[in-house]
């Protein structure tokens, strides 16, 4: 039986980042850029106005106030998107809109609120400093500058930047396709009325959702029954994907055939991890693809995904940060557990000033999905300790913001 850290190391040592593909920039959201992206243009392209007002020569406005305004001659209107026609000479100003190009000779902008105009003259009520309300060419981006480095995850700001520099296609790591197979004679399809002793295959959907949340592409392959021929056929089908997930059939029961089949069709790396829930995890390779035999119990399957599959998928997608954010929290109540296993407790988190309090969400049975629904995070209880009094500071993996 492997320790959690060791299992994770074996998995991350096996999976590799997938190759790149060029996609339309919106398709790149949440994915990792595979090359340095250089701006082919300067932003803003020209010196322009940050205000609606007047482009003028700062020195002309010296000493201006309400009683003794400086009066300037208006040369023209400069709306955004049009080039000015005339220079601004001493004693002159151009009426300018936000984004309008600063005419030659002008070196500042005065906002319209501090002026009054009539016909082709404008009264200036306050002095202006040189460069005031001028946005300079290249103050955001200079042509030739790297604006997004290789390995950066693309978020909304990066999409905006790519658009701004006119880059509509971007090279990112491929999204892994993930085949999802449920195993079990007792499983019914989601829209069937489960017969006696049958339960709905919920794992495939929870796993598909987790895969989607990672930014990968789930392929739900349905249910394999607990017999060799069905399992072999469905696993062989699954090997076309970049990763294979199965749930169930990895314990020690008579019908638990998944790890045998994994070993026959591919190569088993390890089985069983010193954790709860989620001990009977199997990991290996099938036709060059990582394959996870996840436990059948719904919470075990989800927590195993969190600990092992999510980091592996993130690595395949080229992410540098593979793990969830974790916070320090105080236990709301005592927890006792067995030694030698790492426990993951579902917890609701709440802030109290600077402190975070973690309260266990009820029954921690590995089939109790409702306590997963209530959880904001997973309390990580280390192997070596068995009693955690109320108030103990623990690490909590944050699953959703609280
Ligand atoms: P197993 O390890 O195959 O015996 O599965 C353990 C338990 O997990 C079973 O008794 C089922 O109650 C449950 N289980 C297995 N597969 C699924 C599934 N796809 N969806 C929901 N529950 C499942
Ligand atoms: Mg089973």
């Amino acid at each position: 039986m492997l320790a959690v850290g060791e299992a994770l190391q074996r998995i991350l040592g096996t999976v590799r980042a997938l190759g790149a593909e060029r996609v339309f920039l919106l398709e790149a959201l949440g994915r990792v850029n595979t090359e340095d992206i250089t701006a082919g243009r300067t932003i803003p392209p020209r010196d322009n106005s940050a205000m609606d007002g007047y482009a003028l020569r700062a020195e002309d406005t010296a000493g201006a106030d309400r009683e003794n305004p400086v009066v300037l001659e208006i040369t023209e209107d400069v709306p955004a998107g049009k080039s000015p026609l005339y220079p601004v000479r001493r004693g002159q100003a151009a009426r300018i809109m936000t984004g309008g190009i600063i005419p030659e000779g002008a070196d500042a902008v005065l906002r319209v609120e501090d002026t009054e105009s009539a016909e082709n003259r404008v009264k200036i009520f306050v002095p202006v400093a040189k460069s005031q309300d001028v946005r300079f060419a290249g103050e955001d981006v200079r042509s030739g500058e790297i604006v997004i480095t290789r390995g950066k995850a693309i978020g909304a700001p990066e999409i905006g930047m790519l658009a701004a520099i006119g880059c509509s296609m971007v090279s990112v790591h491929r999204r892994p396709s993930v085949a999802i197979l449920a195993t079990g004679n007792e499983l019914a399809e989601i829209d069937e009325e489960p017969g006696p002793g049958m339960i709905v295959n919920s794992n495939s959907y929870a796993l598909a959702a987790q895969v989607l949340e990672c930014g990968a592409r789930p392929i739900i392959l349905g249910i394999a029954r607990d017999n060799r021929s069905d399992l072999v056929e469905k696993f062989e089908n699954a090997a076309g994907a970049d990763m294979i997930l199965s749930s169930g059939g990895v314990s020690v029961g008579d019908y638990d055939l998944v790890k045998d089949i994994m070993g026959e069709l591919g190569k088993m790396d390890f089985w069983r991890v010193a954790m709860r829930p989620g001990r009977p995890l199997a990991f290996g390779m099938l036709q060059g693809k990582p394959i996870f035999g996840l436990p059948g119990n719904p919470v075990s399957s989800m927590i195993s995904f969190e600990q092992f599959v999510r980091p592996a998928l993130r690595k395949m997608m080229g992410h540098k940060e593979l793990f969830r954010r974790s916070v320090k929290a105080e236990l709301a109540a005592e927890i006792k557990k067995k030694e030698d296993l790492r426990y993951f407790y579902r917890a609701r988190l709440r802030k109290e000033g600077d402190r975070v309090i973690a309260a266990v969400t009820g029954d921690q049975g590995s089939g109790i999905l409702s306590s997963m629904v209530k959880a904001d995070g997973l309390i990580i209880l280390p192997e070596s300790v068995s009693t955690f009094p109320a108030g103990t500071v623990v690490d909590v993996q944050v699953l959703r913001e609280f």
Side-chain angles (χ1 to χ4, degrees):
M1 191 156 61
L2 289 184
V4 174
E6 207 178 327
L8 194 55
Q9 247 180 10
R10 298 260 279 259
I11 293 164
L12 294 179
T14 305
V15 302
R16 300 272 168 266
L18 297 182
E21 62 177 347
R22 286 185 82 71
V23 298
F24 177 63
L25 84 169
L26 266 184
E27 268 295 304
L29 184 64
R31 299 167 71 178
V32 178
N33 167 36
T34 60
E35 52 197 24
D36 286 340
I37 297 174
T38 304
R41 57 178 74 151
T42 292
I43 306 171
R46 304 277 299 273
D47 293 355
N48 69 91
S49 176
M51 287 283 171
D52 295 324
Y54 291 87
L56 41 68
R57 302 160 77 97
E59 60 184 22
D60 284 355
T61 67
D65 62 21
R66 286 263 157 198
E67 281 69 50
N68 297 294
V70 169
V71 178
L72 301 175
E73 178 201 354
I74 299 171
T75 55
E76 63 177 320
D77 270 18
V78 186
K82 276 219 169 134
S83 289
L85 298 175
Y86 309 107
V88 168
R89 299 184 204 284
R90 183 167 296 170
Q92 293 183 323
R95 185 181 284 126
I96 196 163
M97 307 305 139
T98 304
I101 295 171
I102 307 285
E104 202 194 309
D107 59 12
V109 171
L110 177 60
R111 56 187 196 139
V112 70
E113 293 89 329
D114 295 326
T115 67
E116 198 178 284
S117 69
E119 306 201 347
N120 66 338
R121 312 233 161 252
V122 58
K123 287 182 185 164
I124 304 297
F125 294 130
V126 296
V128 184
K130 204 167 164 178
S131 301
Q132 182 171 307
D133 287 321
V134 175
R135 304 193 289 211
F136 290 101
E139 70 178 16
D140 188 5
V141 174
R142 293 187 174 277
S143 178
E145 183 185 334
I146 293 173
V147 285
I148 302 172
T149 51
R150 183 168 166 253
K152 181 118 208 271
I154 307 272
E158 287 75 21
I159 301 267
M161 177 60 79
L162 288 165
I165 64 169
C167 179
S168 61
M169 299 294 284
V170 48
S171 174
V172 289
H173 287 283
R174 271 200 313 111
R175 281 182 202 283
S177 57
V178 182
I180 298 172
L181 191 59
T183 74
N185 290 336
E186 78 282 27
L187 299 179
E189 299 286 0
I190 190 169
D191 42 12
E192 265 177 67
E193 190 53 45
M198 304 284 279
I199 55 160
V200 171
N201 163 26
S202 61
N203 286 354
S204 290
Y205 297 94
L207 289 169
Q210 289 180 297
V211 167
L212 282 171
E213 281 179 349
C214 289
R217 210 157 47 81
I219 303 166
I220 293 181
L221 292 182
I223 299 166
R225 300 304 170 189
D226 295 315
N227 63 70
R228 296 186 54 82
S229 62
D230 203 23
L231 284 166
V232 166
E233 185 195 317
K234 298 222 157 95
F235 272 118
E236 279 177 341
N237 256 335
D242 296 310
M243 179 191 278
I244 303 138
L245 302 180
S246 71
S247 70
V250 284
S251 292
V252 290
D254 292 345
Y255 294 91
D256 292 335
L257 305 171
V258 166
K259 47 191 188 309
D260 298 345
I261 307 258
M262 277 171 67
E264 280 166 40
L265 300 181
K267 197 179 136 294
M268 270 278 278
D269 184 345
F270 63 81
W271 172 56
R272 300 220 293 178
V273 181
M275 63 188 272
R276 179 171 291 173
R279 177 152 53 168
L281 173 76
F283 175 71
M285 294 296 275
L286 181 62
Q287 298 178 22
K289 315 295 174 60
I291 173 167
F292 291 84
L294 299 167
N297 279 303
V299 176
S300 309
S301 151
M302 290 195 79
I303 290 182
S304 301
F305 183 103
E306 271 298 326
Q307 305 316 311
F308 304 111
V309 182
R310 185 176 185 277
L313 278 177
R314 288 183 63 81
K315 181 165 183 195
M316 291 168 83
M317 295 186 72
H319 286 283
K320 291 195 198 99
E321 186 48 70
L322 304 182
F323 304 108
R324 293 271 192 193
R325 178 167 86 89
S326 97
V327 293
K328 298 272 182 208
E330 294 169 33
L331 290 182
E334 183 187 66
I335 300 179
K336 279 186 191 296
K337 71 176 220 0
K338 280 194 193 149
E339 267 184 41
D340 302 332
L341 295 180
R342 184 176 299 186
Y343 278 53
F344 296 88
Y345 267 62
R346 289 141 259 173
R348 183 165 271 167
L349 298 172
R350 67 170 195 276
K351 293 184 184 119
E352 268 181 26
D354 292 345
R355 300 151 60 212
V356 179
I357 313 295
V360 170
T361 57
D363 189 338
Q364 295 292 302
S366 55
I368 308 294
L369 206 45
S370 53
S371 59
M372 195 71 190
V373 171
K374 292 178 192 137
D376 306 309
L378 298 173
I379 300 172
I380 301 167
L381 298 171
E383 292 78 350
S384 55
V385 185
S386 60
T387 303
F388 300 82
T392 305
V393 175
V394 290
D395 289 312
V396 182
Q397 225 170 47
V398 178
L399 298 180
R400 50 184 153 207
E401 289 314 311
F402 57 95

